Amino acid sequence: MDAIEITGGRPLSGEVQVSGSKNATLPQIAAALLAPGRSTFRGVPDLADIRTLGKLLGHMGARVERDGATVYVDADRVANPEAPYEMVKTMRASVLVLGPLVARFGRARVSLPGGCAIGARPIDQHLKGLQLLGAKIDLAHGYVEAQAARLRGATILFDLPTVTGTENLMMAAALAEGRTVLENCAREPEVAALADALNAMGARIQGAGSSVVTIDGVNSLRPMDIQVIPDRIEAGTLLAAAMITGGDVVVRGARPEDLDGALAKMREAGARISAERGGLRIVAPERPDAVDFITAPFPGFPTDLQAQLMACLTVARGASRVVETVFENRFMHVQELVRMGADIAVDGHTAVVRGVARLSGAPVMATDLRASASLVLAGLRAEGKTKVHRVYHLDRGYESLEKKLAALGANVRRVKGALA
Ligand code: EPZ
């Protein structure tokens, strides 16, 4: 397994381009299942999770090809609408094939994703919605079996805003008979991007990005040809890298409207952030100011940036309170940061981070995608060498992060085949 080796202490400077969004691409590629013919996706990041979904669609009989940053998905022939356990367990977003498969083929057999490192992450809202659309849902042997001759529009009120739940049901309702109204929807930019893609296929969706989405079902859809939106979480991670090193960086492609909650807190922590050169420029103080934050559904502070901002706050002036409300176990980076000299106390969903003057490099272990990013960030600040092991977690959601950081002046390299 590879590792990432960092020698910290250099303020980052320069300009970096954000890649396409992982969490926008995954539902959009799943949506290709809704139409016969070949869909085209431009600006697709080369990530492990994207490859996993491509393999899953290939397993079903779709043809998936990549030419540079363009991915083609031909869903003409999908012989078996099934997502097997061994594929779903490596990437829970595979559950996004459920809605499209039932809508187009009238049946689907998808492995229940099971828990993951950051929490139980049930899909009860996905299943409740499909039942309300008329699907017959059976749970057996760890699989969801869904069947429906033709889905029928319905009003669905989510118990809580769920990103992939909203996405799955938007896709299912696109081919249902009549009108579906989804209420208490997730408002993340990736949901709006999926609606744009579905409308490009001929769907009739309004309101995506707000908490009420209306879908008027159509009888058939055509392939799409779309450009993937920039990855706001990668953008936020790169901004945090500038913050933790007291740097001056332009993140090209970052869209301010996608990061309201995160930018507000970074500014409160003393960073100057302005729209410049088709992206965002951040000029950070040598040490950030302490700031309290709580994660919440969009437009609140994104849970996917919690570990990264926490890393910055380990060297802040003062103490910060961090509350994680979205997932039940998303503080696994804390103990590794403590091994690097951070002073963090966790009590349930709350972590109190007391800023220290310096961190010291250490061998650390990545446990999940965003935790591994926060350890890399801490290594950029720490004195001496940090070695982040199990960076396959990082490769799920970041395209060559170490190369991007090196181009900004960081002393960082990937070590092939390091010990586990
Ligand atoms: C999406 O996951 C993202 N993944 C996650 O990003 C992100 O952290 C999360 O949204 C929250 O923003 C993709 O888009 C592929 P949810 P998702 O359903 O859809 C509970 C990353 O790092 N819930 O919005 O699975 C759930 O347990 C990943 O890129 C139910 O109870 O998240 C959680 O507490 C990690 N029942 C909360 O809702 C359900 O049926 C929000 O989950 C569905 C969700």
Side-chain angles (χ1 to χ4, degrees):
M1 285 186 249
D2 293 0
I4 296 243
E5 223 169 59
I6 309 134
T7 302
R10 294 188 192 172
L12 298 191
S13 68
E15 196 165 303
V16 63
Q17 175 65 46
V18 174
S19 298
S21 164
K22 164 176 87 81
N23 289 350
T25 306
L26 292 171
Q28 289 172 334
I29 285 182
L33 291 168
L34 288 165
R38 187 174 86 160
S39 287
T40 302
F41 304 88
R42 302 178 192 282
V44 177
D46 184 14
L47 300 171
D49 274 9
I50 306 287
R51 289 194 291 277
T52 302
L53 185 60
K55 280 194 204 103
L56 175 58
L57 265 59
H59 169 82
M60 293 178 187
R63 278 192 40 242
V64 182
E65 294 160 305
R66 178 184 272 271
D67 174 12
T70 302
V71 168
Y72 302 99
V73 177
D74 187 329
D76 237 6
R77 283 186 316 288
V78 172
N80 62 319
E82 172 169 327
Y85 173 68
E86 50 280 354
M87 289 186 162
V88 176
K89 73 177 170 30
T90 59
M91 187 191 61
R92 21 174 333 90
S94 309
V95 76
L96 284 165
V97 302
L98 190 55
L101 289 176
V102 178
R104 173 141 174 249
F105 302 102
R107 64 191 179 89
R109 187 168 182 272
V110 175
S111 167
L112 280 164
C116 87
I118 62 177
R121 300 183 72 184
I123 59 167
D124 56 297
Q125 300 295 306
H126 301 235
L127 303 181
K128 179 185 91 171
L130 285 173
Q131 278 177 318
L132 287 170
L133 292 178
K136 182 174 171 301
I137 301 283
D138 293 303
L139 299 181
H141 312 297
Y143 278 76
V144 176
E145 309 215 350
Q147 282 189 325
R150 173 93 197 262
L151 294 172
R152 286 184 315 282
T155 294
I156 297 163
L157 171 61
F158 289 109
D159 296 354
L160 77 175
T162 155
V163 174
T164 50
T166 303
E167 291 167 345
N168 232 337
L169 289 162
M170 268 192 339
M171 291 189 280
L175 286 178
E177 194 169 340
R179 169 164 285 196
T180 295
V181 179
L182 303 177
E183 297 175 345
N184 197 17
C185 294
R187 298 164 51 190
E188 273 70 2
E190 294 77 25
V191 172
L194 175 63
D196 292 344
L198 290 167
N199 286 337
M201 297 175 82
R204 294 167 55 202
I205 301 176
Q206 293 170 318
S210 78
S211 55
V212 179
V213 178
T214 304
I215 305 108
D216 289 308
V218 295
N219 292 325
S220 66
L221 293 168
R222 55 182 182 272
M224 70 181 98
D225 182 334
I226 59 153
Q227 175 74 37
V228 168
I229 64 170
D231 192 314
R232 64 193 172 97
I233 303 302
E234 185 196 26
T237 304
L238 292 165
L239 291 169
M243 240 182 100
I244 198 167
T245 58
D248 179 349
V249 169
V250 173
V251 180
R252 292 282 301 273
R255 305 191 313 181
E257 65 275 17
D258 290 352
L259 285 165
D260 286 338
L263 298 183
K265 285 299 167 183
M266 290 181 169
R267 287 179 172 125
E268 214 181 301
R272 288 205 320 274
I273 302 175
S274 52
E276 271 190 43
R277 304 225 289 284
L280 288 169
R281 180 181 179 193
I282 179 168
V283 180
E286 200 272 330
R287 284 179 73 180
D289 299 328
V291 66
D292 296 343
F293 72 96
I294 179 168
T295 65
F298 192 88
F301 187 94
T303 174
D304 290 351
L305 286 174
Q306 177 257 107
Q308 297 92 314
L309 185 57
M310 184 190 283
C312 296
L313 297 174
T314 62
V315 291
R317 297 179 194 285
S320 308
R321 279 180 84 255
V322 177
V323 183
E324 170 57 61
T325 69
V326 177
F327 291 113
E328 55 267 39
N329 186 31
R330 211 171 192 180
F331 282 150
M332 284 177 296
H333 43 286
V334 167
Q335 289 319 314
E336 296 303 287
L337 291 171
V338 166
R339 291 184 59 247
M340 295 176 72
D343 177 351
I344 308 171
V346 172
D347 176 10
H349 288 267
T350 300
V352 175
V353 184
R354 289 183 179 78
V356 295
R358 63 183 59 76
L359 297 176
S360 61
V364 289
M365 183 77 75
T367 50
D368 63 85
L369 169 54
R370 307 304 176 182
S372 44
S374 81
L375 299 178
V376 171
L377 298 186
L380 294 173
R381 176 75 185 222
E383 289 170 359
K385 186 158 55 170
T386 295
K387 194 166 184 178
V388 182
H389 292 271
R390 297 193 180 175
V391 287
Y392 59 84
H393 291 292
L394 199 70
D395 296 338
R396 294 189 53 178
Y398 292 96
E399 189 178 36
S400 311
L401 182 62
E402 75 278 3
K403 289 188 187 134
K404 289 174 176 161
L405 295 172
L408 293 172
N411 181 341
V412 56
R413 70 190 183 103
R414 179 178 286 256
V415 179
K416 287 282 179 202
L419 292 179

